[in-house]
Every structure is written in C-alpha cells, then in structure tokens.
Amino acid sequence: MPTIYDVAKLSGLSKTTVSRVINNHSYVSEEKKNLVLKAMKELNYTPNPSARKLRGQVTTTIGVIVPRIVNPFFSYLVDSIEQVAYKNGYHVLIFQSNEDKEKELVFLNLLKTKQVDGIIMTSIENDWSIIEPFTESGPILLCNEYVNNANVPIVRLDQYKGAYIGVKHLLEKGHRKIGYCTGGLFAEEGKDKDRNQGYQKALQEAGIEPDPKWIFVNQHSIEDGKQVVKKILSMEDRPTAIFTGSDEIAGGMMIEAKECGLKIPNDLAIIGFDDQPLAQMLDPKLTTIRQPIDQMGIKAMETLINMLNDSEVKVETFELPIELIVRSST
C-alpha cells in the first residue's frame, strides 16, 4: 500500500508539501499541487481520513530538544521558536534531555517513528556519529550548539569571541587572577570548547597561565554558582574575578557572595553570559555577554521550515552577532 512518503519521493517534494496539498492548504503553488496530484494518481494513493484527523489536518509537529527548560535562556529560545512555528501552522513539542545521552536518543527516535517531522537540537549529548543516522528519517537543525562535521544547518554564535571579550574586559579592569565556570572543560568540540579556548587565549595574550584551581567544571545553575563562591572562600589564594558560562551561574554567585559579606565588584568581579532579564534585576546589575536569543529562535524555525518544504535546501551555518554588555558587577 503506497504511503505519503512514496508520494513525496515520486513527486520530488517534501512530505510536508504533500500533506498540505492533501489538506487543501492555501500556501502551495499550482505547480507543486499538480506534481503531488499526479504522483497520487500514478500510485493510486488515497489519504486515510482518520489519520488526517489525528494529525490535525495540515499541522506538522516539530520537536525541540533542550537540556533544561528551567534555564531562562532556553525558555526564551523555545518561546521565539514556537511563535514562528505557530504562525506557519506548526506545533512544537519540547523535550528536556537533562544532559542525558539516553534521553536524547529516546527523543531522536520519535523522528524515526514519525511522531515528529523535524527536530531542533539546542544541545548535543551524544557524538555526532550517533546522531547523524537520524537525519535519514527527517530534518535536524542545530541551534546554539554545533559540531564541525555536522551535515545539517546550524544557527550559532561565536562562543570563542564571547569568552575572549569577557576575559579581556576583566583584564582591562586590572584583574590578573581570573577564574572560570564552564559546562565542560575537555569538550572535543562545540560551544564549551570554543569558550574554553577564548578564555585561555585572552589570558595567554596577557602573559597569564590559567590556574586549574580557579576553573570550575560542570557548572550550570544558580545553586552551582553558590557552591563556587563557597569553594573560592575556602582558598588562601583566591581569584578576584570570575567569567561564568551563564547568567544563572553568575546570579547564584552574586547571591552567595553578598550573603558572605563580599562586595561586588570590589572583592569579586563577575561576568555572566546570555543577558537574560535576570542580569538587570540583580544588585549590582550584571555585566554579561549578550546573545540574540529571539533572533536565534526565529532563524532556527524559519530554516527548519525551509528544510521541511525543500529536501535539497542548502546546508549552511548562520552565525549571529554577540556583544559585551558592561554593567556594575565588574
């Protein structure tokens, strides 16, 4: 029995376009409509009415994998993705991996079983060699995360530059003892690797060797930031400034520092990353690296829609601007 995938293959169009023709969607050209109808006739394909009802007519479902939805960065990112999706007739399902490799694979398998039609990955836990085979089942796009050998579109930022300009700012403020909070110190590729290199490069240009005891690995949350301050206070030789991987970590550090009687930035200067609304609510206001979250989400969803509508879409990397926002924490 022929399927919608057979129709898509014969017509040379995407499954989404075929679905839109079947459901009388208005945003399909006459040329594409005729190609689909011709393929349906040749294959003697008849749409399943009950299946169409269950599928919600023309709605296509997009999966978005995030590490932690409670991180405001990903909440805002998903919000911008969903708004673009809804305006274009798509539904969004959110999958939270909690940085678990097995959970990530469970979600990717939904692409194989056709429960989602495409996936946006905002973080990657498994090696690309494990993820790549899933691209045969549907489009995958990387957003806020990337690997060098990925053969899929990527929407990203210059993470190396973000860390570099942040540490340079601390150096220009006169700091020589600069600590660092990172998600993964020994990442082979991706944003953690680039940030690590940016941090090291800025220090090396100033003739400073990174001090291992001032580098804090696997830091992600407000609570992690609080624990970092406690570790710093237990040291005889302490850093005077910290570059962090997120505003959440920085916020946790500032809360704990103030409770412990430290003055920011006099006793400890702190830089965040993201420029979430939290950054302006803290006291003092947080110096941070601004990421254009809305632009990321919009570009990611628009690109995935193009992938769904055109199986031959060009594989590109879209790099968005990044900037240092100086406030009172430094």
Side-chain angles (χ1 to χ4, degrees):
M1 180 181 294
T3 68
I4 192 172
Y5 302 99
D6 297 320
V7 176
K9 185 176 181 180
L10 183 59
S11 66
L13 301 171
S14 69
K15 182 175 74 71
T16 302
T17 301
V18 173
S19 176
R20 287 178 171 177
V21 171
I22 292 171
N23 292 287
N24 297 314
H25 197 287
S26 57
Y27 300 112
V28 182
S29 68
E30 283 299 317
E31 181 183 358
K32 290 182 178 179
K33 182 177 180 180
N34 290 333
L35 285 171
V36 171
L37 294 175
K38 181 182 177 182
M40 289 171 62
K41 184 176 181 180
E42 289 183 21
L43 292 168
N44 195 27
Y45 171 77
T46 303
N48 185 324
S50 60
R52 289 171 63 190
K53 184 176 180 180
L54 287 171
R55 290 286 294 171
Q57 296 298 315
V58 299
T59 300
T60 297
T61 303
I62 305 301
V64 181
I65 299 178
V66 300
R68 295 184 308 119
I69 195 63
V70 292
N71 182 327
F73 172 84
F74 294 104
S75 299
Y76 289 114
L77 181 60
V78 170
D79 177 64
S80 62
I81 289 172
E82 193 279 333
Q83 290 191 48
V84 176
Y86 183 76
K87 289 177 182 177
N88 287 274
Y90 296 85
H91 283 169
V92 170
L93 292 180
I94 304 168
F95 307 122
Q96 185 172 240
S97 71
N98 292 120
E99 299 172 335
D100 184 307
K101 292 183 177 181
E102 292 303 316
K103 285 187 73 175
E104 182 177 81
L105 293 178
V106 169
F107 300 145
L108 285 168
N109 268 309
L110 296 178
L111 198 57
K112 278 189 173 182
T113 57
K114 307 305 176 186
Q115 295 179 68
V116 296
D117 300 282
I119 287 181
I120 296 174
M121 301 185 73
T122 69
S123 69
I124 294 177
E125 310 308 326
N126 289 277
D127 292 337
W128 182 250
S129 59
I130 295 174
I131 297 172
E132 185 174 21
F134 289 96
T135 61
E136 297 178 5
S137 301
I140 293 176
L141 178 142
L142 304 185
C143 175
N144 186 54
E145 187 62 280
Y146 68 98
V147 288
N148 293 326
N149 61 334
N151 56 339
V152 298
I154 299 171
V155 179
R156 55 161 293 191
L157 303 166
D158 189 340
Q159 303 289 343
Y160 175 96
K161 177 183 177 183
Y164 179 81
I165 63 176
V167 177
K168 286 283 286 186
H169 171 69
L170 294 173
L171 289 165
E172 290 165 0
K173 287 291 183 178
H175 294 282
R176 303 287 292 176
K177 297 180 177 182
I178 301 174
Y180 176 45
C181 293
T182 175
L185 184 60
F186 302 108
E188 293 184 1
E189 56 186 343
K191 64 183 181 184
D192 284 329
K193 178 185 177 182
D194 281 6
R195 287 186 187 180
N196 297 342
Q197 291 179 339
Y199 165 75
Q200 293 177 58
K201 180 64 174 177
L203 290 184
Q204 288 168 1
E205 286 182 355
I208 301 172
E209 283 297 320
D211 192 324
K213 69 176 179 291
W214 298 339
I215 298 176
F216 307 93
V217 184
N218 295 325
Q219 306 300 310
H220 304 282
S221 66
I222 289 175
E223 185 58 37
D224 289 337
K226 291 180 178 180
Q227 295 304 315
V228 167
V229 171
K230 291 178 180 178
K231 291 176 182 176
I232 289 173
L233 288 174
S234 69
M235 299 175 180
E236 291 186 10
D237 186 21
R238 305 173 184 171
T240 62
I242 298 283
F243 176 83
T244 71
S246 77
D247 292 344
E248 275 195 290
I249 302 168
M253 291 188 67
M254 291 178 67
I255 292 168
E256 186 66 24
K258 291 183 72 174
E259 289 185 357
C260 293
L262 297 179
K263 293 183 179 179
I264 300 169
N266 296 349
D267 297 323
L268 184 66
I270 300 173
I271 291 186
F273 207 111
D274 292 339
D275 196 26
Q276 299 172 13
L278 166 71
Q280 296 192 61
M281 296 167 62
L282 291 165
D283 182 23
K285 297 183 189 302
L286 180 65
T287 295
T288 187
I289 306 298
R290 175 177 290 168
Q291 301 195 79
I293 302 175
D294 286 349
Q295 291 180 43
M296 290 179 69
I298 291 169
K299 188 64 179 179
M301 191 62 222
E302 288 178 347
T303 303
L304 190 65
I305 290 172
N306 289 337
M307 295 170 71
L308 287 164
N309 289 322
D310 182 1
S311 60
E312 301 300 322
V313 69
K314 183 180 178 181
V315 175
E316 294 183 83
T317 295
F318 304 95
E319 190 164 279
L320 303 181
I322 197 168
E323 63 179 316
L324 171 70
I325 304 299
V326 179
R327 298 192 180 101
S328 305
S329 68
T330 56

